[in-house]
Amino acid sequence: MKEMTSLERFLTACEGGTPDRVPFWIMRQVGRYDPDFEGMVRKYGFDGICKDAKKAAQLSLMPIRKFGFDAIILLSDILFPAEAMGLKLEWTKEGPVFRNPVKGMGDVEKLRSPDVGKDLPYVQETVNILYNKVGGKIPIIGFCGGAFTIATYMTMHTEFSGVGNLRRMLYANPRTAHSLFRKINDVLIELIKAQIDAGAHAGMVFDSLAGYLTPRLYKEFVLPYQERILREVKKHDVPSILYLTGCCGILNKMVNVGADVLGIDSKTDIGDVKKRVGKSVALQGNLDPYTLFGSRKSIEVAVRECIRKAAPDGGYIFNTGEGLVKDVKFESVAETVAAVKKYGKYPVTH
Ligand code: CP3
């Protein structure tokens, strides 16, 4: 088969087809395993590099140049829209914290409805720069968080108190929760539209924490909001990707949410998922990112297993099941990429 461009390869897989080889990218491919990224964070702060479109574009391209990933994920974060809605966001060593969290309906009512073009201009600008540089050859994945995951961070009263406050609200004050989700979702829809208008080739929703819920709560409090964003992506004629962790209990519902591609987390056997979903959606995932702390040989074995289970009849994009973690070695990323290239050629018969 003639060698495809990364754009052709990625779009073919999103549509469920069989490209020349398995396309690959890695969540947090712009990240701390790379001393050049670390240096930029130390110098300008995470906030500083994400909100400067030139730097964000330069850093988004860095892993493509170093490793040849088949997709660009924008360097940004799912929490910036919440900041634009009026919450004070601080990036601590342990992670992001909101200093004035949402505790009840009064706080929800106070949230602003930001103008994405004016209040989050760097997102669209970054996509613009990337599109002008490589848009015809390498796909740019625009993204936003899911309302549930963003709301989880917005409702943490104490630092890193997790998903508990929001889960409590779903039962104690369901109307407040719905109002909060609706407000966040309206911003997310504008944000994903802005990225697609600027040239993004796909729209991905990171609703990482939604797998914490019971299937009934997922159906009532998450699914309708995810559906609305994904519908918006579809309207613009680009493929949509939905990612969350802990998908096995809600997989039957996720399959029908309207995404072209489902991102599968590492706690799930991707071969089982493949058997359950067949060709109805494409899959992305799901190498355990901690695999990268193992030997070259063990990385190769694990990558090969993912590909063997998920790739043979097409519709598969290689990725990790969660984002790359701190302290992963640069060489381990290179070894992972080498293994995908070695075992990902079609036809996959190993
Ligand atoms: O995949 C990518 O590299 C694209 C950009 C991206 C980032 N965060 C950059 C980032 C994306 C898509 C996200 C999503 C995100 N952010 C999620 C959902 C997906 C997931 O990983 O669970 C969540 C929950 C957040 C919020 C967030 N941002 C946390 C909890 C943290 C700190 C802990 C951690 O995982 O690093 C961040 C910081 C962050 N976001 C970094 C990067 C590259 C690290 C910044 C640094 O090194 O200082």
Side-chain angles (χ1 to χ4, degrees), residues 19-267:
D20 55 346
R21 63 164 171 78
V22 169
F24 64 93
W25 68 280
I26 293 184
M27 291 188 282
R28 296 285 164 90
Q29 66 191 19
V30 187
R32 282 171 291 197
Y33 65 86
D34 187 339
D36 292 338
F37 173 80
E38 277 287 81
M40 291 287 276
V41 172
R42 264 198 308 275
K43 202 160 168 195
Y44 302 104
F46 180 60
D47 201 66
I49 52 176
C50 290
K51 291 181 181 172
D52 178 329
K54 269 195 193 141
K55 290 191 180 70
Q58 180 201 337
L59 286 164
S60 304
L61 278 174
M62 206 161 67
I64 315 294
R65 301 225 159 99
K66 291 184 182 182
F67 298 106
F69 289 112
D70 287 307
I72 300 168
I73 184 89
L74 202 64
L75 177 66
S76 190
D77 199 85
I78 62 164
L79 298 181
F80 290 128
E83 187 182 40
M85 293 173 82
L87 294 197
K88 290 189 193 74
L89 175 59
E90 221 174 90
W91 295 95
T92 73
K93 274 209 168 63
E94 280 71 41
V97 179
F98 289 110
R99 292 299 173 201
N100 51 342
V102 170
K103 294 188 176 169
M105 194 55 132
D107 298 322
V108 175
E109 280 165 359
K110 274 192 268 169
L111 291 170
R112 296 180 55 225
S113 302
D115 175 331
V116 163
K118 281 204 195 109
D119 297 313
L120 298 153
Y122 45 90
V123 179
Q124 203 167 5
E125 278 164 32
T126 306
V127 179
N128 249 318
I129 297 173
L130 290 168
Y131 189 81
N132 289 331
K133 281 201 167 147
V134 294
K137 287 195 184 122
I138 307 171
I140 302 160
I141 303 175
F143 74 82
C144 62
F148 181 82
T149 301
I150 295 175
T152 297
Y153 282 88
M154 290 169 92
T155 52
M156 285 186 197
H157 303 182
T158 52
E159 288 189 18
F160 315 114
S161 51
V163 84
N165 292 336
L166 186 56
R167 286 175 75 181
R168 195 180 305 189
M169 191 193 276
L170 300 186
Y171 287 101
N173 297 301
R175 281 188 45 240
T176 306
H178 274 302
S179 300
L180 178 58
F181 296 150
R182 213 175 299 123
K183 273 199 151 175
I184 300 170
N185 226 44
D186 288 346
V187 183
L188 299 180
I189 285 172
E190 293 306 315
L191 184 65
I192 203 92
K193 267 203 287 200
Q195 293 173 73
I196 298 169
D197 285 345
H201 301 87
M204 177 158 170
V205 179
F206 286 84
D207 211 352
S208 315
L209 303 176
Y212 272 97
L213 295 182
T214 66
R216 190 181 68 73
L217 290 183
Y218 175 75
K219 187 169 170 219
E220 182 178 347
F221 289 100
V222 179
L223 196 71
Y225 300 99
Q226 291 179 339
E227 273 173 353
R228 270 191 62 208
I229 306 179
L230 295 166
R231 217 179 298 137
E232 204 58 44
V233 175
K234 260 264 171 308
K235 264 195 220 159
H236 289 72
D237 234 17
V238 299
S240 59
I241 310 173
L242 173 64
Y243 169 78
L244 53 80
T245 68
C247 67
C248 59
I250 50 175
L251 191 62
N252 296 346
K253 295 184 173 63
M254 273 177 81
V255 167
N256 296 314
V257 70
D260 298 297
V261 184
L262 295 183
I264 306 300
D265 65 284
S266 66
K267 271 88 71 193

